[in-house]
Amino acid sequence: PEDPVDVETAFDIYRRDEIARWVGPEPKPWKSLDHAREKLQAWQAFAAEQPGLGLWAISVNRHDPPLGTVLLTPLPDGDGHDTTDIEIGWDLHPDHWGHGYATEAAQRLIEHAWEQELPEVNAVMLPGNDRSMAVMRRRTQTCGMRCAKAEPSQ
């Protein structure tokens, strides 16, 4: 996260309720650029410890600012501990919804998962996340991704 554009873009995405409400067991919008930098640094450290897993920027080309992110990460169990099951996820800035970027990014990340010899990837989402459900449905037709709906945390 040395590039200020990456930090600013990530903050602009995850500060929005329409994104943050679908992310994680206790969804909360990011509050500051410093918080965004810390989150991106944590993802960099995670990727260094877990080769093949991590968070990647979605961009049309490497010279443009990111449009969003995709991730591969261990799914937590009911107590919040990582399992051996792997989750795929995607988050796009609302300005880029409806253009096929999430579907294409998910497909490329699934191909990456197979190259890493992961036997399965799981997409988990809260009920009502219709846009992500549509991406997942398009991908399950071609790759066998397992669908699961998460229940909102209480």
Side-chain angles (χ1 to χ4, degrees):
E2 292 84 28
D3 187 338
V5 173
D6 290 348
V7 175
E8 290 166 10
T9 301
F11 174 62
D12 190 34
I13 293 168
Y14 291 103
R15 71 176 177 80
R16 299 167 177 276
D17 182 61
E18 65 261 41
I19 303 297
R21 68 182 170 155
W22 306 115
V23 179
E26 296 179 22
K28 293 180 185 161
W30 291 4
K31 299 295 183 194
S32 68
L33 285 170
D34 287 338
H35 181 76
R37 190 172 297 103
E38 289 170 10
K39 293 291 245 178
L40 293 176
Q41 287 170 341
W43 273 105
Q44 276 187 327
F46 169 80
E49 295 171 5
Q50 302 280 335
L53 303 181
L55 179 81
W56 293 269
I58 299 170
S59 62
V60 175
N61 69 59
R62 48 179 22 130
H63 303 293
D64 289 338
L67 309 175
T69 61
V70 290
L71 66 82
L72 282 176
T73 186
L75 271 168
D77 63 17
D79 295 322
H81 301 102
D82 288 346
T83 68
T84 57
D85 293 327
I86 301 299
E87 176 182 13
I88 184 173
W90 45 85
D91 298 303
L92 282 171
H93 189 285
D95 290 350
H96 305 294
W97 290 353
H99 300 287
Y101 296 126
T103 302
E104 183 176 343
Q107 182 60 43
R108 290 187 182 193
L109 196 54
I110 290 165
E111 291 166 5
H112 168 77
W114 300 162
E115 290 167 5
Q116 301 301 308
E117 299 183 8
L118 296 172
E120 179 177 79
V121 294
N122 302 276
V124 180
M125 61 201 58
L126 295 169
N129 192 347
D130 297 334
R131 288 183 174 277
S132 281
M133 184 63 77
V135 171
M136 187 167 55
R137 282 193 187 110
R138 285 190 287 276
R139 295 293 37 100
T140 58
Q141 293 170 3
T142 60
C143 75
M145 185 188 309
R146 192 171 83 191
C147 301
K149 284 188 180 181
E151 292 302 318
S153 58
Q154 302 297 325

